[in-house]
Amino acid sequence: MFVHQRQGSLEVICGPMFSGKSEELIRRIKRAIIAKQKVQAFKPALDDRYDLSAIASHSEQKHGAIPVKDMVELARLLDPEAEVVALDEVQFMDEGLIAIIEDLANRGVRVIAGGLDQDSNGEPFGIMPLLLAKAEYVTKLQAICMVCGAQAGRTQRLVHTGGQVLVGAAEAYEARCRHCHEVPHAMGRRLLEGD
Ligand code: ADP
Ligand code: ZN
């Protein structure tokens, strides 16, 4: 059946760390390039874990991306000719991104945004709930729980430091399922009780 489809939409790829968000984003970017579409990719400048100017997966796949310090800079660097705009680690981007995405999608641009839906406490991360609500298409990926091997929807922080943002290497985090995931205050209590 022929379905009439107008261009311009938001796709969100979310899930915990190690679930393959960057791999999936890179896969979609590569296919757009094969289709000869003009693609522009951005990432927040603070995410410098692997490469300052690339979307990089834990499986060492890479695609070039422009690091931006805020949404003013992103808006300034947008190429008016871009047909696909890919954004990685959007949980670190500010609310200004919402208006930018709305404008792009309304102008016919395909926007693909990847990021963590939950922080390491299992709480909604930054602007991600807004993006999920606004998206036409949502892909929620799961990793493998490093404790029990089940599907994992959460990210466990393995080191004790405060704050929601700890841009860390893989050693600081692991994927966990709901049952094996522990929030820091519970971990502290367990340590106090000598469990
Ligand atoms: P994300 O962007 O969601 O952090 P990546 O695309 O960077 O994910 O990495 C996904 C890759 O990480 C997998 O293909 C696999 O090679 C590797 N990996 C390492 N630990 C895990 C895990 N616990 N569960 C699934 N994949 C893992
Ligand atoms: Zn588990």
Side-chain angles (χ1 to χ4, degrees):
M1 194 179 70
F2 176 74
V3 180
H4 178 59
Q5 207 170 2
R6 295 184 65 179
Q7 288 190 334
S9 60
L10 171 61
E11 297 163 33
V12 174
I13 304 164
C14 68
M17 279 180 76
F18 308 102
S19 62
K21 300 182 298 299
S22 300
E23 277 175 357
E24 179 59 21
L25 189 58
I26 293 166
R27 191 182 76 89
R28 293 187 195 183
I29 291 170
K30 283 186 175 159
R31 288 173 59 94
I33 291 168
I34 291 168
K36 300 199 172 26
Q37 291 172 330
K38 195 162 175 55
V39 179
Q40 222 184 358
F42 296 95
K43 59 183 272 185
L46 95 148
D47 181 42
D48 59 357
R49 281 171 292 177
Y50 312 104
D51 196 318
L52 277 173
S53 57
I55 295 168
S57 76
H58 294 105
S59 50
E60 291 174 11
Q61 295 187 45
K62 269 188 192 186
H63 188 276
I66 304 167
V68 287
K69 66 174 192 321
D70 57 31
M71 293 308 105
V72 176
E73 189 177 19
L74 192 150
R76 189 164 51 77
L77 294 171
L78 272 174
D79 179 349
E81 310 259 284
E83 297 166 270
V84 177
V85 171
L87 309 159
D88 201 13
E89 305 281 7
V90 285
Q91 76 279 356
F92 293 139
M93 293 182 176
D94 63 71
E95 271 198 38
L97 184 63
I98 308 289
I100 294 174
I101 289 176
E102 285 284 296
D103 183 55
L104 286 169
N106 290 345
R107 286 201 289 105
V109 175
R110 176 184 176 199
V111 183
I112 318 172
L116 293 163
D117 47 357
Q118 297 174 17
D119 65 15
S120 54
N121 290 328
E123 297 299 328
F125 208 143
I127 59 168
M128 194 47 110
L130 293 169
L131 295 182
L132 288 168
K134 293 212 167 239
E136 273 90 354
Y137 307 103
V138 173
T139 303
K140 183 151 175 162
L141 300 172
Q142 305 229 25
I144 301 299
C145 175
M146 294 307 282
V147 175
C148 76
Q151 298 265 61
R154 297 200 179 167
T155 305
Q156 180 73 50
R157 186 184 286 190
L158 300 170
V159 292
H160 295 267
T161 52
Q164 194 179 37
V165 180
L166 166 68
V167 181
E171 315 83 76
Y173 296 96
E174 71 183 23
R176 298 261 181 107
C177 72
R178 165 187 298 280
H179 304 287
C180 299
H181 178 262
E182 293 178 282
V183 292
H185 70 265
M187 285 167 76
R189 200 168 54 230
R190 201 161 51 77
L191 290 173
L192 280 175
E193 287 164 1
D195 198 5

